[in-house]
Each structure stands twice: as structure tokens, then as C-alpha cells.
Amino acid sequence: MAQLIDGKVLSAQIREEVKEAVSIRVKAGKRAPFLTVVLIGEDPASASYVKGKAKATAEVGIGSDTLVYDASISEKEVLEIIERLNNDPDIDGILVQLPLPAHIDERKVINAIAPAKDVDCFHPESVGNLVIGNDGFQPATPAGIVEMLQRCNIPTAGKHCVIIGRSNIVGKPLANLMLKKGIDATVTVCHSRTKNLPEIARQADILVAAIGRANFVTGDMVKEGAVVIDVGINRIDDASRERGYRLVGDVDFEAASKKASHITPVPGGVGPMTIAVLLQNTLKAADQK
Ligand code: GUN
């Protein structure tokens, strides 16, 4: 039976570290770091993530503000808001929650964020620094996964890391992070057009599922002793729950945990780590000034 990688416990360690660093910063006479979150529209999952981010900042002494706009806001207005936030010296980090309504060009909005405030690590300059291996902001979900592996003393050097999913938020930045000097994994990225995906997945020492499909990774795709990281957060209708749904990952947990050496649960796995890295990035943004 696999050992559970507890994202709640590990993220609490990081949050405690950030809290301590913020406290030292404030005692030295500097102001607390400040994050502004922009939420556009009424996507319930986005609203829930944003609430979690605001709560987490408050708990570590980081200031935050959530600007909420109607889905009908124009792209021009959004770009003007970003410009204002870029020029506000009291704001260290800017996070525009994705996805955006269809009439707003996501790339244009991301490109408008000042790289020095890009705590999501989505701006092309931030992504470039990541690919080259320069110091900079860490992409939240990928860095959260690496923190999990390292804090559980799971070796990565020379290990075959198979990532299922090629998104700009998880798959692509995680591939770059796992390749970085010091982490040193051998990386394969699979996606919807990959041939023989189960066969490739079975070769993974570290298998990361970030494809956004409930129970996509079945037990037969997991090598005996593999480390399984489940990034999926899928809402499945469930009348027995008060809110009418439950969350499941991209991995068939029951089956995979019989073969894996370590596995992350959903919820309580990668999700909380993502927020912890966002806090690290916001502190970094403030300290870099
Ligand atoms: N939507 C889903 N994940 C993320 C994230 O990490 N950052 C932002 N801004 N939006 C998201």
C-alpha cells in the first residue's frame, strides 16, 4: 500500500516558513508584502480558489486585496486595471485568476503584467527565466510538486518523470523544473495525441497526472513502486454530498495506491502546495524591491 504524501502537512511547513520570514521583514521596519488578485466572472471553482488564496495570505501576514469584476468587463478595461496595479508601489504581486471570459485575450492580459510582479510565473519573461534555469518566480503548481518530492526525500536525479498533460500552467513548466540542474530528472511529456500512453506511463518512476480528466490514470498505467502525483481537481456529481458534488483527481486512487510507493490524495495533495508557493513568490516579489 502506498504512503500518502500529505499536501496539507507539507504546505503548512512552507506557510510557517513564509510567516517567519514576513515577520522578520516587518520587524526590520519594512512593510508587509502585498498581493492583488483579480477575479473576472462567476466561475465557482475560480471563486473558491481565490478565497483560499486570500485566506492563506492573511494567515502568514501578507496583505491582499481581491478585485472582482463582472464577466462583461472589456479587455481594454482589464488592461487599464493591470497598468494601474503595475504602477502602484504598494503592490508586490499581481495574480489574474484564469480562465478569463472568452472575449478577453488571456495572453494579452498575462503579457501586460509587470514581470517583477508576476507571482504566477506566467509572463513570457518569467517562463524564459524558468527554461534557462535563472533564479526567478516559481510556477506555483510545478514548484509545489517539487517541494513535495524534496520534503518527502524522494530522489529525482536520473529518475524517469512522465508528465501527462502539456498545459502552460502545469505540464510544460513542470517539465522544465524537473530538468533543472539539481533536480536532474529525465522527462517525458505525454498529451492527448501521444501514442501508447499507458505503456509510457508504466515506465515512470515519478508519474504526474495533469490532464483534467477524472480517473484517467488507471492501475495498469502505474509501475510497481512508482511515485504518483495527481494534479487533477475534477468535480463529479454526488447527490449524497451537501454541495452536490465531490472532488476527484486524474488518478484512480484506489487502484494506483495498490502499486505506488507514494501517492498524493485529492483533495489535500497538490492543491495546498500551490497556494504555499504563491506565498513564497509574493514574499520574493517584495524582497526583490
Ligand atoms: N487557474 C487555475 N490555476 C491557476 C493558477 O495557478 N493561477 C491563476 N492565475 N489562475 C489559475
Side-chain angles (χ1 to χ4, degrees), residues 38 46 49 53 94-99 120 122 140-141 169-170 274:
V38 178
S46 288
Y49 297 150
K53 287 169 187 176
I94 302 169
L95 183 151
V96 179
Q97 186 67 28
L98 304 179
D120 255 331
F122 288 171
T141 305
I169 294 184
V170 186
T274 299

Side-chain angles (χ1 to χ4, degrees), residues 57-69:
T57 51
E59 281 169 4
V60 299
I62 292 179
S64 85
D65 191 13
T66 302
L67 309 179
V68 183
Y69 299 98

Side-chain angles (χ1 to χ4, degrees), residues 13-281:
Q13 286 173 7
I14 298 176
R15 280 183 277 126
E16 208 42 56
E17 291 161 14
V18 173
K19 188 174 177 178
E20 178 65 22
V22 168
S23 152
I24 289 170
R25 192 187 139 86
V26 170
K27 277 192 196 129
K30 296 182 189 157
R31 65 162 174 74
F34 196 93
L35 171 72
T36 295
V37 177
V38 178
L39 174 64
I40 301 171
E42 270 109 51
D43 178 48
S46 288
S48 156
Y49 297 150
V50 163
K51 224 165 114 185
K53 287 169 187 176
K55 183 166 170 272
T57 51
E59 281 169 4
V60 299
I62 292 179
S64 85
D65 191 13
T66 302
L67 309 179
V68 183
Y69 299 98
D70 194 85
S72 64
I73 190 171
S74 72
E75 183 180 281
K76 184 165 171 284
E77 282 173 290
V78 176
L79 294 174
E80 283 166 6
I81 291 161
I82 306 257
E83 185 60 20
R84 179 169 60 74
L85 301 176
N86 283 342
N87 292 326
D88 187 334
D90 292 332
I91 294 172
D92 302 300
I94 302 169
L95 183 151
V96 179
Q97 186 67 28
L98 304 179
L100 295 176
H103 68 278
I104 301 174
D105 183 342
E106 213 159 87
R107 283 267 46 114
K108 259 196 207 165
V109 171
I110 290 169
N111 291 357
I113 297 171
K117 300 189 177 188
D118 177 34
V119 288
D120 255 331
C121 194
F122 288 171
H123 189 282
E125 186 175 317
S126 313
V127 177
N129 281 328
L130 168 69
V131 173
I132 295 166
N134 288 345
D135 274 344
F137 294 123
Q138 301 278 323
T141 305
I145 292 170
V146 170
E147 288 275 4
M148 280 182 138
L149 298 172
Q150 291 179 335
R151 286 171 193 256
C152 292
N153 297 315
I154 293 168
T156 53
K159 299 295 179 187
H160 188 192
C161 175
V162 175
I163 301 165
I164 308 177
R166 57 172 156 179
S167 70
N168 287 336
I169 294 184
V170 186
K172 279 190 257 180
L174 178 61
N176 284 287
L177 212 50
M178 293 303 292
L179 284 172
K180 233 179 121 161
K181 280 229 155 59
I183 299 176
D184 302 320
T186 302
V187 179
T188 302
V189 182
C190 298
H191 49 81
S192 54
R193 303 299 293 269
T194 298
K195 290 207 176 98
N196 307 327
L197 192 149
E199 201 175 297
I200 297 169
R202 268 193 295 278
Q203 293 167 27
D205 302 307
I206 301 168
L207 181 61
V208 183
I211 203 160
R213 282 167 56 183
N215 299 321
F216 179 87
V217 173
T218 47
D220 63 304
M221 294 189 204
V222 178
K223 181 170 77 173
E224 203 69 47
V227 175
V228 177
I229 308 288
D230 191 350
V231 184
I233 305 176
N234 307 292
R235 291 185 174 199
I236 299 273
D237 288 341
D238 186 345
S240 73
R241 303 285 174 106
E242 197 178 319
R243 54 188 180 180
Y245 67 87
R246 70 191 147 90
L247 296 177
V248 301
D250 290 353
V251 176
D252 177 347
F253 183 89
E254 273 295 305
S257 58
K258 289 196 176 90
K259 295 173 87 181
S261 64
H262 299 75
I263 190 165
T264 64
V266 176
V270 175
M273 300 301 289
T274 299
I275 294 187
V277 175
L278 172 66
L279 301 175
Q280 287 178 326
N281 280 345

